[in-house]
């Protein structure tokens, strides 16, 4: 066990394949959680199971904690900062009132999450009132504007890094839809104006501000009162904005958790419907195997990481080979050589876009027509206006006529035939379970399909078949072991749990 | 190896009605032999053509008859000559008799191998079967076929028949075709014959398996329905991706005169400390570290063993559920086939009963599988019924892997109904889309389904093997373009699109697409502080910025590793932003320095100076972004440039 075979024996050609499964570090995300800590967040509760009510503040904090735990395993390159506003104490580089940046030792304010951050954040609930405290930051007669301050602090935290290599987001969690509601006249107008300007400045720098509103039991969070302006929502965006629906704690938690994820686009692709009619699609990886953390080799004496150097040695002469070598395939008693350029030329059989070839009834898509996890596609009008409209029309036709599209997806690493299957939106209690869109299913080629005739042993007789009586008995059995509410993602992978439990316990 | 050696006789119809598809027959047969040369060098192949003017076979000499059948190659171990023969098949002049050809092929196999190698002897017939076979002297044609079929089974021979029909044999006599189909179906019923009908050259290439992989079980044991109810099953792979072959690295170091040079390359790995000393660390001093956030946690093999998840081998049923609970797009991997233990009638009946009940009730089963003892992961998946259409084959199940919670990203997407009216298709637009989905039909009833995965070859692999064969003869041959037959896989069928021209035109008329006018502005907003665009004029700046965005996006895909001449600034920014190794930053800065120095020294009357200044600006910005440390490096570089200038 000298080498980690996964890591080292990767051929250059496998690189892109690998990219398919892992998020590359170059698409980092910087997130500032901006949590309202006003008394209203503590006074409002939502009913949970077993009569245990939880405050909105608690709800927000526990969702962040949960999301940090997922993040450290799956997206540990992303950086986070946690920032409270409407606090009694202040702690921030700008020394602004009513804003408290939470952090732990050995960590910058905006940094990758550490085990220590997670651990101390878990205990925060108990110490919050003592150490940070809750206090309205916007009161009549005072010039203080805690929302303005909070946005300023968050923007300053996100100054790090280039917008080109990282997504910068501010996630604002609050249950107050009218922060300046208590003010009057010029003071109100002035504060509203400065806050909006601050938000706009941040947005102009490429920072996206997202609102995760918490509805109070008696009234729904009304985004139009103030935040629509702050977020820059108008017309169509406003309609798309989903207010938190359910009143139940579990639903709200579920919703918050889901919204904390950004929808990370893996690729923007062009979908050629016919010559001259090409629309723009974004692809998303909704289902990918979560790989257990990569292995880093350490020197056991110093615990410092080691670097692995690969050298190519000529077996005939023992000389070191510097330039990337050619490849060869022994064939007909000689070695047929290929340059790397030639290899990529052979693979490059298409232009990289998705080309429509036709449609088939859904029954043509067999259970064995599968190779890899599917990819989700959703339209975008960002570059080509009108894309969404055609997409929706085709999507609705396919749903109604129970057909799927066959297309050729000419990616450079894996040119493949794909099935485009329309998926209707599924929602339960206001929580979206299946998003509306099209799933791209990678189809096998005949080379990838094994002959059944080869698998089944040779016999002269017909195969035995169950009779009606036996089938009825089997049906009775099926009824007895029926899981009515089964859904995928009910099961956690015991392997990953095991390994992360192992590493986190070592840290603590 | 020897026991798996396949003995194959190709029976190829080269009669006049086959001429149009013979190029594809030549391709698929030479591909078959080519793959044997690479993967199964000991297989033996013979070639028989029928429908020829001439006659040349043993039977005609011994008993007479069997006219217009030529044995092109006797059965022998595969070699390159065989490919050459198959690439130049003779064009026949008479309508062939496929049954005679089958008999000739069987005779060759019987004479060569007697009755040994049962199950390894195979006939492969490619014909369009549109011409009548000769009447037999005694009994009907059916009787004759049955006698031959019985003999085939007794000898342990298998047959594969590829019947080329449809578009490729349009004006054939329907009655004769039906008769021939009936006769061929006798073979399917009574022997191990796989009969495939294809109606396009593309599916002809895919219909014949050019590489046979001996199936291996993934698991043999109990399917546990409950602790005291178990069915013996064997599990195989049903699909598995055939990857582009991994080619060996070639070393050119050995002198050309050395005839015994292997030209192989050994890959060696050294583990070195990162401090200045770069000491090699011996294997026993290395320990694996696991990332947890930014920290790395060292865990020794012994500790790892203690926390390692060690499930027991076994396949257990968790329960049944409605098929609608499992979305098709949850399938994660290639597909398995569960069959009842061969020869175990009780097991076959149980699988059959459960599969049929599941089908009737529209249920699927959820399983938890550990295929091998010592396997460290558990697989959760869905078992779906596969009701056999062939009397010879028992019922079975397909198994697809499902995701665990960690594997699912629950992104939310806005509902289409919530979009503004301008984004919603109106009634006419919807109608145009409906028409398209209905008319652009790849699986019209009564015709062969086009692009059926089972008969569609991988164009990349086809191209590789063809190129390999070509290069073995002409070492400097260029990569051939995709031919028309393979283009049917990567591009729309012009015929189908032409037939539906009106539908497509209607679609084009009803939908309008235009470039987003706002895009350039927003792209510019994001790029405002970037030095990439040197042009200050407003209109042009827009364009170049948009191009910069494009070039960067593309560059990220191809992973730029060097700073080129065309877009040095963009290349630099891309390399700098790579985060897959800490080395990139240093590399980017070093390369940029060299580039700037190069630009200045190659400059003719200052023509490069403008670019050089842009590069310096980008370098400065990059250095500041990266860290304090790099800023000092930048200063050092500037000093260096200044001294050079003097």
């Amino acid at each position: 066990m000298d080498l980690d075979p996964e890591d080292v024996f990767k051929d250059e050609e496998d690189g892109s394949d690998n990219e398919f499964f892992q998020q590359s570090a170059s698409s980092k995300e910087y997130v500032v959680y901006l949590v309202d800590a006003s008394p209203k967040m503590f006074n409002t509760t939502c009913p949970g199971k077993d009569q245990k009510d939880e405050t909105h503040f608690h709800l927000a904090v526990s969702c962040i904690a949960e999301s940090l735990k997922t993040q450290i395993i799956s997206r540990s390159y992303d950086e986070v900062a946690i920032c409270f506003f409407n606090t009694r104490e202040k702690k921030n580089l700008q020394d602004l009132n009513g804003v408290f940046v939470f952090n732990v030792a050995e960590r910058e304010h905006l940094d990758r999450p550490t085990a220590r951050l997670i651990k101390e954040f878990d205990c925060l609930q108990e110490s919050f009132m003592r150490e940070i405290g809750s206090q309205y930051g916007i009161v009549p007669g005072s010039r203080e504007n805690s929302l303005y301050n909070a946005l300023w602090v968050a923007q300053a935290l996100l100054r790090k890094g280039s917008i080109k290599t990282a997504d910068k987001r501010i996630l604002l969690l609050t249950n107050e839809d009218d922060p300046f509601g208590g003010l009057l006249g010029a003071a109100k107008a002035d504060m509203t104006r400065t806050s909006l300007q601050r938000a706009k400045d941040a947005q102009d720098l490429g920072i996206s501000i997202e609102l995760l509103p918490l509805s109070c039991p008696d009234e729904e969070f009304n985004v139009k009162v103030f935040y629509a302006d702050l977020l820059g929502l108008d017309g169509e965006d406003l309609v798309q904005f989903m207010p938190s629906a359910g009143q139940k704690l579990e639903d709200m938690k579920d919703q918050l958790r889901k919204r904390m994820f950004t929808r990370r686009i893996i690729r923007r692709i062009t979908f050629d419907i016919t010559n001259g009619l090409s629309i723009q699609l974004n692809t998303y990886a909704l289902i990918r195997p979560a790989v257990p953390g990569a292995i880093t080799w350490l020197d056991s004496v110093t615990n410092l990481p080691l670097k692995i150097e690969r050298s190519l040695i000529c077996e005939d002469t023992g000389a070191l080979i510097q330039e990337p070598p050619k490849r060869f395939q022994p064939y007909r008693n000689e070695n047929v050589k290929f340059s790397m350029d030639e290899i990529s030329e052979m693979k490059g059989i298409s232009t990289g876009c998705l080309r429509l070839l036709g449609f088939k009834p859904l029954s043509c898509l067999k259970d064995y027509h599968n190779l890899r996890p599917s990819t989700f596609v959703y339209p975008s009008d960002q570059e080509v206006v009108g894309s969404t409209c055609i997409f929706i029309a085709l999507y609705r036709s396919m749903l109604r006529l129970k057909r799927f599209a066959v297309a050729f997806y000419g990616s450079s690493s894996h040119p493949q035939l794909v099935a485009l299957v329309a998926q209707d939106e599924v929602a339960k209690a206001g929580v979206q379970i299946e998003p509306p869109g099209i799933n791209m299913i990678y189809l096998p080629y005949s080379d990838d399909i094994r002959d059944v005739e080869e698998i089944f042993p040779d016999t002269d007789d017909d195969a035995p078949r169950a009779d009606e009586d036996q089938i009825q008995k089997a049906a009775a059995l099926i009824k007895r072991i029926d899981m009515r509410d089964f859904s995928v993602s009910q099961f956690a992978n015991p392997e990953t749990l095991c390994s992360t439990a192992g590493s986190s316990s070592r840290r603590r | 190896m020897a026991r798996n050696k396949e003995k194959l006789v190709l029976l190829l119809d080269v009669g006049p009605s086959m001429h149009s598809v013979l190029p594809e027959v030549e391709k698929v047969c030479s591909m078959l032999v080519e793959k044997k040369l690479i993967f199964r060098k000991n297989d033996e192949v013979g070639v028989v053509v029928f429908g020829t003017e001439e006659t040349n076979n043993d039977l005609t000499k011994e008993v007479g008859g069997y006219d217009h059948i030529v044995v092109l190659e006797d059965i022998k171990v595969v070699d390159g000559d065989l490919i050459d023969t198959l690439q130049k098949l003779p064009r026949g002049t008479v309508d062939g008799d496929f049954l005679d050809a089958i008999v000739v092929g069987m005779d060759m196999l019987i004479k060569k191998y007697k009755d040994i190698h049962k199950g390894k002897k195979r006939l492969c017939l490619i014909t369009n079967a549109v011409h009548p076979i000769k009447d037999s002297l005694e009994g009907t044609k059916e009787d004759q076929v049955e006698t031959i079929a019985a003999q085939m089974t007794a000898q342990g021979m298998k047959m594969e028949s590829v019947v080329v029909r449809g578009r490729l044999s349009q004006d054939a006599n329907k009655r004769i075709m039906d008769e021939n189909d009936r006769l061929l179906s006798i073979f399917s019923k009574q022997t191990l014959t796989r009969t495939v009908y294809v109606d396009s050259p593309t599916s002809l290439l895919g219909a014949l398996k050019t590489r046979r992989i001996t199936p291996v079980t993934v698991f043999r044991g109990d399917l546990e329905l409950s602790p005291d109810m178990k069915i013996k099953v064997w599990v195989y792979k049903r699909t598995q991706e055939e990857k582009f072959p991994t080619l060996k690295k070639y070393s050119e170091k050995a002198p050309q005169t050395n005839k015994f040079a292997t030209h192989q390359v050994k890959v060696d790995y050294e583990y070195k400390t990162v401090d200045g000393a770069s000491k090699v660390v011996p294997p026993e001093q290395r320990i694996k570290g696991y990332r947890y956030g930014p920290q790395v946690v060292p865990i020794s093999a012994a500790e790892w063993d203690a926390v390692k998840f060690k499930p027991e081998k076994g396949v257990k049923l968790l329960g049944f559920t409605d098929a609608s609970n499992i979305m098709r797009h949850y399938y994660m991997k290639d597909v398995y086939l569960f069959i009842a233990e061969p020869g175990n009638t009780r097991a076959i009946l149980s699988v059959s009963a459960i599969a049929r009940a599941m089908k009737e009730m529209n249920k699927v089963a959820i399983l938890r599988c550990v295929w091998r003892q010592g396997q460290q992961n558990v697989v959760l998946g869905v078992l779906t019924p596969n009701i056999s259409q062939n009397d010879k084959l028992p019922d079975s199940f397909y198994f697809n892997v499902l995701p665990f919670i960690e594997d699912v990203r629950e992104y939310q997407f806005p509902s289409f109904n919530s979009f503004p009216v301008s984004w919603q298709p109106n009634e006419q637009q919807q109608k145009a889309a409906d028409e398209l989905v209905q008319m652009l039909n790849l699986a019209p009833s009564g015709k062969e389904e086009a692009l059926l995965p089972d008969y569609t070859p991988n164009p990349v692999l086809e191209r590789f093997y063809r190129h390999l064969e070509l290069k073995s003869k002409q070492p400097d041959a260029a990569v051939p373009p995709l031919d028309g037959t393979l283009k049917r896989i990567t591009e729309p069928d012009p015929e189908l699109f032409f037939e539906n021209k009106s539908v497509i035109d209607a679609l084009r008329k009803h939908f309008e697409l235009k470039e987003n006018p706002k895009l350039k502005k927003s792209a510019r907003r994001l790029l405002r502080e970037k030095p990439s665009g040197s042009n200050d004029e407003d209109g042009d700046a827009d364009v170049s910025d948009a191009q910069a965005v494009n070039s960067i996006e593309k560059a990220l895909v191809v992973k730029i590793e060097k700073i080129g001449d065309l877009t040095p600034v963009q290349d630099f920014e891309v390399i700098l932003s790579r985060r897959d190794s800490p080395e990139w930053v240093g590399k980017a800065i070093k390369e940029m320095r060299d580039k700037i120095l190069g630009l200045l020294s190659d400059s003719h009357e200052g023509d490069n100076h403008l670019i050089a200044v842009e590069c310096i600006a980008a370098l400065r910005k990059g250095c500041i972004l990266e860290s304090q440390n790099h800023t000092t490096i930048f200063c050092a570089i500037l000093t260096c440039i200044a001294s050079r200038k003097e």
Side-chain angles (χ1 to χ4, degrees), chain B residues 100-114:
Chain B
D100 275 359
I102 291 175
V103 177
V104 170
M106 283 172 69
D107 175 63
M108 287 165 72
L109 285 169
I110 294 170
K111 284 201 179 117
K112 177 124 186 176
Y113 305 108
K114 310 290 181 295

Side-chain angles (χ1 to χ4, degrees), chain B residues 126-360:
Chain B
I126 302 181
T127 179
N128 52 7
V130 293
H131 303 294
I133 61 165
K134 285 187 280 296
D135 286 319
S136 69
L137 299 172
E138 44 209 272
T140 60
K141 286 180 184 174
E142 277 80 2
D143 296 340
Q144 201 185 352
V145 171
E146 281 186 27
T147 319
I148 295 169
Q151 177 72 359
M152 206 183 270
T153 312
Q155 293 287 335
M157 288 181 201
K158 296 180 181 178
M159 188 163 80
E160 191 165 3
S161 16
V162 179
V163 183
V164 187
R165 282 285 170 78
R167 274 192 262 180
L168 302 171
S169 59
Q170 262 149 2
D171 25 70
N173 184 324
K174 178 103 175 34
R175 192 188 53 79
I176 297 168
M177 286 204 293
D178 287 348
E179 182 191 64
N180 284 337
D181 289 351
R182 207 169 53 246
L183 296 175
L184 283 168
S185 73
I186 298 177
F187 282 112
S188 313
K189 284 206 192 81
Q190 308 207 339
T191 67
L192 289 154
T193 293
R194 171 172 175 257
T195 307
V196 176
Y197 287 85
V198 298
D199 80 348
S200 71
T202 313
S203 42
L204 174 58
L205 291 182
L208 188 67
K209 281 269 179 317
T210 47
R211 182 180 174 193
R212 278 180 194 283
I213 295 165
T214 320
V216 203
T217 47
V218 178
F219 172 86
R220 288 184 195 196
D222 295 329
L223 165 61
E224 276 185 54
L225 300 177
S226 75
D228 45 2
M229 202 194 303
K230 297 169 184 173
I231 306 174
K232 290 260 178 243
V233 291
W234 289 12
V235 181
Y236 288 94
K237 276 284 179 76
R238 178 72 163 102
T239 60
Q240 185 159 36
E241 190 181 337
E242 168 110 1
K243 293 236 164 87
F244 192 88
T246 314
L247 306 179
K248 290 181 186 147
K249 295 185 177 65
Y250 186 84
S251 162
E252 286 166 326
K253 298 276 180 199
Q256 292 204 328
T257 48
N258 183 353
K259 291 230 162 52
F260 301 102
T262 60
H263 296 289
Q264 305 243 358
V265 174
K266 187 169 170 274
V267 185
D268 197 51
Y269 295 96
E270 277 183 329
Y271 293 73
K272 292 186 175 168
T273 52
V274 273
D275 55 26
S278 275
K279 222 167 62 221
V280 175
V281 177
E284 61 277 10
Q285 202 188 312
R286 297 200 292 259
I287 186 168
K288 273 184 188 174
Y290 293 85
R291 288 198 173 279
Y292 189 68
Q295 286 122 345
V296 181
V297 186
I299 299 180
S300 71
E303 282 177 297
W304 189 239
D305 246 15
V307 295
K308 213 190 269 174
F309 179 63
K310 289 174 214 131
E312 279 294 305
K313 171 185 169 176
V315 172
K316 290 193 176 68
L317 173 80
L318 299 180
F320 294 91
T321 189
D322 287 338
S324 57
N325 281 342
I326 309 293
M327 307 285 181
R328 181 61 175 76
H329 58 265
Y330 288 146
Y331 291 4
M332 292 266 282
K333 283 178 69 177
D334 37 20
V335 186
Y336 298 85
L337 182 74
F338 273 58
I339 67 166
E341 186 178 64
N344 181 339
T345 311
R346 281 165 57 92
I348 297 173
L349 281 178
S350 322
V351 168
S352 171
I354 294 172
R356 283 168 189 258
M358 276 161 72
K359 184 90 188 170
E360 267 173 35

Side-chain angles (χ1 to χ4, degrees), chain B residues 52-98:
Chain B
T52 49
E53 182 73 50
E54 315 79 53
T55 303
N56 176 18
N57 62 72
D58 282 1
L59 281 180
T60 194
K61 290 170 208 151
E62 289 160 16
V63 298
Y66 300 99
D67 298 329
H68 307 298
I69 299 176
V70 174
V71 178
L72 276 188
E73 294 277 354
D74 277 320
I75 302 172
K76 61 173 182 183
V77 174
V78 285
D79 58 19
D81 298 343
L82 204 52
I83 295 185
D84 299 339
T85 309
L86 286 166
Q87 282 178 338
K88 310 188 283 279
L89 288 176
R91 301 302 191 254
T93 51
V94 267
D95 296 335
D97 180 330
F98 65 86

Side-chain angles (χ1 to χ4, degrees), chain A residues 3 296 331 397 400 434 506, chain B residues 238 271 289 303 330 434 469:
Chain A
L3 294 162
T296 312
Y331 177 67
S397 301
R400 196 172 60 76
E434 286 297 329
R506 283 268 307 197
Chain B
R238 178 72 163 102
Y271 293 73
E303 282 177 297
Y330 288 146
D434 283 0
E469 163 66 23

Side-chain angles (χ1 to χ4, degrees), chain A residues 329-332 447, chain B residues 1 4-6 31-43 78 210-214 242-247 461 464-465 468:
Chain A
Q329 167 74 47
Y331 177 67
R332 285 200 183 193
D447 315 60
Chain B
M1 264 318 272
N4 274 330
K5 267 196 285 183
E6 186 186 69
M31 178 79 68
L32 178 101
V33 176
E34 186 181 346
K35 286 193 187 168
K36 282 187 187 292
L37 276 175
I38 297 169
F39 302 107
R40 307 185 61 137
K41 286 185 187 142
N42 299 315
D43 281 3
V78 285
T210 47
R211 182 180 174 193
R212 278 180 194 283
I213 295 165
T214 320
E242 168 110 1
K243 293 236 164 87
F244 192 88
T246 314
L247 306 179
L461 292 181
F464 168 73
Y465 287 111
L468 176 66

Side-chain angles (χ1 to χ4, degrees), chain B residues 332-391:
Chain B
M332 292 266 282
K333 283 178 69 177
D334 37 20
V335 186
Y336 298 85
L337 182 74
F338 273 58
I339 67 166
E341 186 178 64
N344 181 339
T345 311
R346 281 165 57 92
I348 297 173
L349 281 178
S350 322
V351 168
S352 171
I354 294 172
R356 283 168 189 258
M358 276 161 72
K359 184 90 188 170
E360 267 173 35
M361 302 163 73
N362 220 354
K363 295 275 181 189
V364 296
I366 306 298
L367 301 187
R368 172 196 192 274
C369 307
V370 179
W371 307 120
R372 297 181 311 274
Q373 196 61 46
Q375 176 182 326
Q376 279 173 32
N377 62 329
V378 170
V379 177
L380 181 79
V382 57
L383 200 66
T384 49
N386 174 30
I387 307 299
S388 174
Q389 304 300 325
N390 181 330
D391 289 342

